[in-house]
């Protein structure tokens, strides 16, 4: 453990010129010298593929890794609704400054102004890049790119490709990376999982990986490492994330010295298909874009909750978002909508299946939209989403309103990074959802794709070059004792997982119990006594895990149970840090409602005087006693106020 002061490297000067001036001040590498440097990129979703493609095209030697069978399987494909950009094609008053303001406000004033303005500024270039790659965005009859509205904004700035926006953008980045693979500047390895970061002289100089088919552990040396490995929503067990999504790469970097920032800030998405049973292992997201035309309601009276929605007359329906937030209506930000839906269900006015004796669901109704635009018009905009809902629930959403309930989706916490996206470890960068930097306590819809591509295409190629310009290229043919020591430690961890003293239960059994503890204590509602009890419960369950986890088979072949066990071991440690972080934050912020800090009208109570900071946690050698560093947030251009969407 080292003692140091956080330095965000945030540039000074006028906000709109900071990134431009900062780029000019950074060092660059001569094109002829770039082939001397080696860069490792872990994770090849939007941020990773975009970064690898860009740096490969610049002339660096790039080596990429993903645990899927193809980069096309990255979870970035699951982003359905769209990507924000301040193009103002609708001439409705949008601008870079308005996108900046909406993002700062939507994040409940817990993000850096400089990072968020840069994101808004780059948004217009991202769309141009994607169009040039052939991404099939929806278009108006005139040929102009179409836009729709998303939560937290009163303008139309979200570009989309039906309900497949993430998939189409990922294919664009994947094709750009494939071009560089063919050119020889990028070497890619699929079905390969990072086990740890190799540290040489206090700098990140490589990784240990495990081939998930052969089980072979390998060391890879490079001049720097870039982690673009996504978020950690699956720590809750039930989430909208693909089952393979995990926190292991980021967490193992954290245990090597990278600070972990705002771990308790997780996004709850209001528009998910409700849980159907207690043994369910995955939740499905319905795009936020559905809230453009769908109206959310619940029965006014508890006795109507058992009725079919078609049998509940209009005067007995409570369109509660329109009632509570008339200015934004159904397009309030995700955290606001999620807390409102939970409030309705807590009152006993939920519908659908009961979980633990409580009906968890409200209706998302398209009857008015079908009446206005016609069946064909609604199908053109949302058809694949409606098909997905019908396939999962066996209900026709064109005839019967969808049922939705909030669920864990995105994570705003992640590895702490400075303005250059470098972690507190020299030479270790983090991009996309793996870092904490741009969203504060709540991410606005259609901003995840924006951040991933901004980091990958525009920021990392510039800031990584600045770092490499100050480094002497490492000899990757040399044998380093630090690399072998790290490999041996990884092997010891695998051996420990395979040889529990009293193997009885599968990793998933432990994960399900952990998820229940975490959701109840550190989900949408949080309370001091419950958080303290949860920390003790997590510690006890983690101890039991290491005694009783049952992992059959060998580490020398394909073994998905072993993969999951390693990831769940990391989830146990991360979950405890999340509860510790939530316990220290004595305020309600974003979707994180501390019951001790709720206003009389049910709205969240922030405490800006005491908590306008980034919580950056350092691993001390004991996961139960982390060290807290605070990065104070300074607001020069947007004054923190009570968020009002009414």
């Amino acid at each position: 453990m080292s003692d140091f002061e956080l330095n965000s490297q945030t540039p000074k000067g006028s906000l709109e010129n900071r990134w431009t001036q900062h780029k000019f001040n950074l060092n660059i590498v001569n094109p002829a010298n770039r082939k001397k440097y080696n860069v490792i990129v872990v994770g090849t979703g939007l941020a990773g593929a975009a970064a690898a493609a860009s740096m490969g095209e610049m002339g660096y030697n790039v080596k990429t890794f993903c645990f899927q069978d193809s980069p096309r399987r990255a979870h970035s494909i699951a982003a359905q609704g769209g990507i924000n950009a301040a193009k103002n094609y609708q001439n409705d008053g949008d601008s870079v400054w308005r996108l900046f303001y909406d993002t700062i406000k939507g994040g409940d004033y817990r993000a850096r102004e400089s990072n968020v303005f840069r994101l808004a500024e780059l948004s217009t270039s991202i769309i141009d890049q994607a169009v040039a790659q052939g991404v099939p965005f929806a278009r108006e009859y005139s040929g102009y790119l179409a836009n729709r509205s998303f939560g937290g904004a009163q303008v139309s700035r979200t570009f989309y490709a039906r309900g497949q926006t993430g998939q189409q953008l990922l294919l664009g980045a994947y094709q750009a990376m494939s071009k560089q693979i063919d050119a020889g500047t990028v070497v890619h390895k699929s079905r390969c999982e990072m086990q740890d970061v190799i540290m040489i002289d206090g700098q990140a100089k490589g990784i240990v990986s495990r081939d998930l088919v052969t089980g072979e552990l390998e060391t890879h040396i490079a001049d720097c490492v870039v982690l673009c490995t996504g978020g950690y929503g699956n720590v809750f067990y039930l989430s909208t994330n693909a089952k393979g999504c995990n926190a292991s790469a980021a967490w193992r970097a954290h245990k090597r010295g990278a600070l972990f920032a705002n771990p308790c800030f997780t996004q709850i998405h209001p528009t998910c298909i409700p849980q159907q049973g207690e043994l369910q292992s995955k939740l499905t997201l319905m795009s936020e874009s559905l809230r453009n035309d769908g109206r959310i309601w619940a029965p006014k009276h508890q006795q109507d909750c058992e009725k079919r929605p078609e049998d509940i007359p209009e005067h007995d329906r409570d369109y509660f978002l329109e009632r509570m937030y008339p200015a934004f209506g159904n397009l309030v930000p995700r955290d606001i909508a999620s807390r409102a839906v939970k409030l309705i269900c807590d009152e006993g006015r939920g519908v659908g299946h009961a979980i633990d004796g409580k009906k968890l669901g409200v209706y998302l109704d398209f009857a008015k939209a079908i009446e206005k635009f016609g069946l064909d018009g609604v199908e053109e905009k949302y058809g694949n989403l409606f098909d997905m809902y019908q396939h999962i629930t066996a209900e026709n959403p064109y005839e019967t309103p969808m049922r939705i309930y909030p669920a864990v989706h995105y994570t705003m916490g992640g590895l702490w990074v400075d303005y250059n996206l470098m972690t507190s470890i020299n030479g270790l960068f983090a991009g996309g959802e793996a870092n904490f930097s741009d969203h504060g306590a709540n991410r606005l819809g259609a901003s995840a794709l924006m951040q991933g591509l901004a980091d990958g295409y525009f920021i990392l190629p510039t800031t990584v070059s600045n770092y490499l310009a100050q480094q002497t290229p490492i000899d990757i043919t040399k044998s380093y004792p630090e690399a072998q020591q790290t490999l041996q430690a990884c092997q010891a961890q695998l051996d420990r997982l395979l040889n529990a003293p009293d193997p009885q239960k599968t990793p998933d059994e432990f994960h399900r119990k952990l998820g229940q503890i975490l959701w109840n204590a550190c989900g949408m509602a949080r309370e001091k006594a419950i958080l303290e009890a949860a920390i003790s419960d997590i510690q006890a369950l983690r101890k039991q895990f290491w005694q009783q986890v049952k992992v059959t088979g060998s580490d020398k072949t394909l073994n998905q149970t072993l993969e999951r066990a390693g990831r769940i071991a990391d989830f146990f440690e991360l979950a405890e840090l999340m509860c510790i972080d939530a316990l220290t934050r004595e305020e309600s912020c974003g979707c994180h409602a501390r019951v001790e800090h709720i206003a009389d009208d049910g709205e969240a109570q922030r405490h800006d005087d005491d908590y306008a900071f980034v919580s950056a946690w350092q691993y001390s050698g004991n996961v139960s006693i982390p060290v807290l560093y605070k990065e104070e947030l300074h607001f020069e251009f947007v004054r923190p106020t009570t968020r009002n969407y009414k």
Side-chain angles (χ1 to χ4, degrees), residues 11 60 72 105 113 162 178 204 210 282 329 355-356 377 407 433 446 453 457 578 611 636:
Y60 295 112
R72 290 174 295 173
K105 177 183 176 184
E113 284 188 330
R162 298 190 75 186
S178 296
R210 180 173 181 267
K282 173 79 173 66
I355 302 294
D356 294 330
E433 194 179 356
L453 292 178
Y457 282 134
M578 292 170 67
Y611 293 98
E636 302 175 62

Side-chain angles (χ1 to χ4, degrees), residues 297-319 349-352 359 361-363 365 367 400-401 403:
W297 63 275
K300 287 184 178 179
H301 311 292
Q302 288 188 21
Q303 59 266 31
D304 289 339
C305 293
E306 297 292 342
K307 293 181 180 179
R308 297 190 313 159
E310 302 95 315
D311 296 335
I312 301 175
E314 192 72 16
H315 63 266
D316 286 332
R317 300 180 179 187
D318 180 12
Y319 295 92
R349 293 194 285 134
V351 299
K359 291 182 177 294
V362 297
Y363 292 119
D365 196 330
T400 302
R403 285 176 290 107

Side-chain angles (χ1 to χ4, degrees), residues 75-89:
H75 191 57
S76 300
I77 67 168
Q80 301 163 337
I83 176 172
N84 288 329
K87 286 286 195 180
N88 196 31
Y89 284 164

Side-chain angles (χ1 to χ4, degrees), residues 110 585-589 592 594 597 605-607 611:
R110 293 295 178 262
R585 194 168 281 274
E586 288 274 359
E587 65 170 350
S588 292
C589 192
H592 319 110
R594 279 292 291 265
H597 303 281
Q605 278 187 332
R606 283 196 333 268
H607 299 308
Y611 293 98

Side-chain angles (χ1 to χ4, degrees), residues 563-613:
E563 293 173 35
R564 286 195 293 272
R567 296 165 186 170
I568 293 164
D570 296 327
F571 279 149
F572 267 109
E573 297 179 351
L574 172 58
E576 183 176 358
L577 181 62
M578 292 170 67
C579 291
I580 292 171
D581 187 42
L583 190 61
T584 62
R585 194 168 281 274
E586 288 274 359
E587 65 170 350
S588 292
C589 192
C591 200
H592 319 110
R594 279 292 291 265
V595 298
E596 305 97 326
H597 303 281
I598 298 293
D600 292 339
D601 60 359
E603 297 296 327
Q605 278 187 332
R606 283 196 333 268
H607 299 308
D608 296 325
D609 291 343
D610 298 319
Y611 293 98
F613 60 79

Side-chain angles (χ1 to χ4, degrees), residues 302-618:
Q302 288 188 21
Q303 59 266 31
D304 289 339
C305 293
E306 297 292 342
K307 293 181 180 179
R308 297 190 313 159
E310 302 95 315
D311 296 335
I312 301 175
E314 192 72 16
H315 63 266
D316 286 332
R317 300 180 179 187
D318 180 12
Y319 295 92
F320 55 90
L321 289 181
E322 298 171 29
R323 169 175 58 82
M324 297 165 69
Y325 305 101
F328 282 71
N330 293 294
L331 286 174
V332 293
R334 293 176 177 179
D335 59 332
I336 303 292
S338 294
R339 284 193 285 109
V341 171
K342 183 179 185 298
L343 178 66
I344 293 296
C345 293
D346 288 347
E347 290 177 358
R349 293 194 285 134
V351 299
H353 297 276
I355 302 294
D356 294 330
K358 182 186 293 185
K359 291 182 177 294
L360 302 179
V362 297
Y363 292 119
L364 179 60
D365 196 330
F366 277 81
K368 290 292 185 184
I370 292 172
E371 182 182 315
K372 180 178 180 181
F373 302 112
L375 195 64
D376 290 343
V378 172
E379 185 176 8
E380 181 181 357
K381 293 172 74 174
Y382 307 114
N384 63 308
L385 298 171
F386 278 53
D387 292 344
M388 181 172 68
Y389 182 89
Q390 184 167 5
H391 181 75
I392 292 171
T393 66
E395 297 175 1
N396 185 347
Y398 293 104
E399 299 174 357
T400 302
M402 294 180 181
R403 285 176 290 107
I404 59 168
Y405 189 74
V408 172
H409 180 49
Y410 190 90
T411 51
M412 279 77 64
L415 294 180
W416 181 89
V417 291
D418 63 16
Y419 189 72
N420 294 322
L421 304 187
M422 188 156 74
T423 70
S424 51
I425 295 177
N426 282 334
L428 180 68
F429 294 80
E433 194 179 356
N435 74 39
F436 87 100
S437 65
D438 293 347
H439 304 300
N442 173 63
R443 179 175 68 76
L444 287 186
S447 290
L449 302 180
M450 180 171 62
Q451 187 210 342
L453 292 178
D455 288 358
Y457 282 134
F458 299 105
I459 302 173
L460 285 167
T462 302
T463 59
V464 170
S465 292
N466 171 67
Y467 173 77
L468 294 177
Q470 303 169 65
Q471 302 293 310
T472 301
I474 195 169
D475 183 355
I476 63 172
T477 65
K478 182 180 173 182
S479 178
Y480 294 90
E482 295 91 340
Q484 291 305 309
Q485 291 165 7
T486 307
L487 185 145
Q488 290 166 11
C490 294
Q491 183 62 57
Q493 176 82 339
L494 295 172
D495 293 341
R496 187 183 178 196
L497 289 166
L498 285 162
N499 296 285
D502 183 23
Q504 296 182 22
K505 300 177 181 178
T506 66
D508 281 354
E509 289 182 75
F510 285 103
H511 193 187
R512 184 180 289 109
K513 291 180 181 178
L514 173 65
Q516 291 171 342
I517 295 169
L518 194 62
W519 173 251
N520 291 334
C522 200
M524 295 175 66
R526 303 169 180 191
E527 188 174 356
K528 181 179 180 180
I530 296 176
L531 284 165
E532 290 173 339
I535 291 170
S536 297
D537 291 343
I538 290 169
Q539 291 171 347
L541 189 61
R542 182 170 67 233
K543 183 177 180 181
Q544 184 184 4
F545 170 85
W546 284 110
Q547 288 291 315
Q548 297 183 350
V549 65
K550 185 176 183 179
V551 180
T552 57
S554 165
D555 64 323
K556 305 305 180 187
T557 184
L558 176 68
N559 190 336
Q560 292 184 309
T561 304
L562 178 60
E563 293 173 35
R564 286 195 293 272
R567 296 165 186 170
I568 293 164
D570 296 327
F571 279 149
F572 267 109
E573 297 179 351
L574 172 58
E576 183 176 358
L577 181 62
M578 292 170 67
C579 291
I580 292 171
D581 187 42
L583 190 61
T584 62
R585 194 168 281 274
E586 288 274 359
E587 65 170 350
S588 292
C589 192
C591 200
H592 319 110
R594 279 292 291 265
V595 298
E596 305 97 326
H597 303 281
I598 298 293
D600 292 339
D601 60 359
E603 297 296 327
Q605 278 187 332
R606 283 196 333 268
H607 299 308
D608 296 325
D609 291 343
D610 298 319
Y611 293 98
F613 60 79
V614 175
S615 301
W617 295 92
Q618 183 183 47

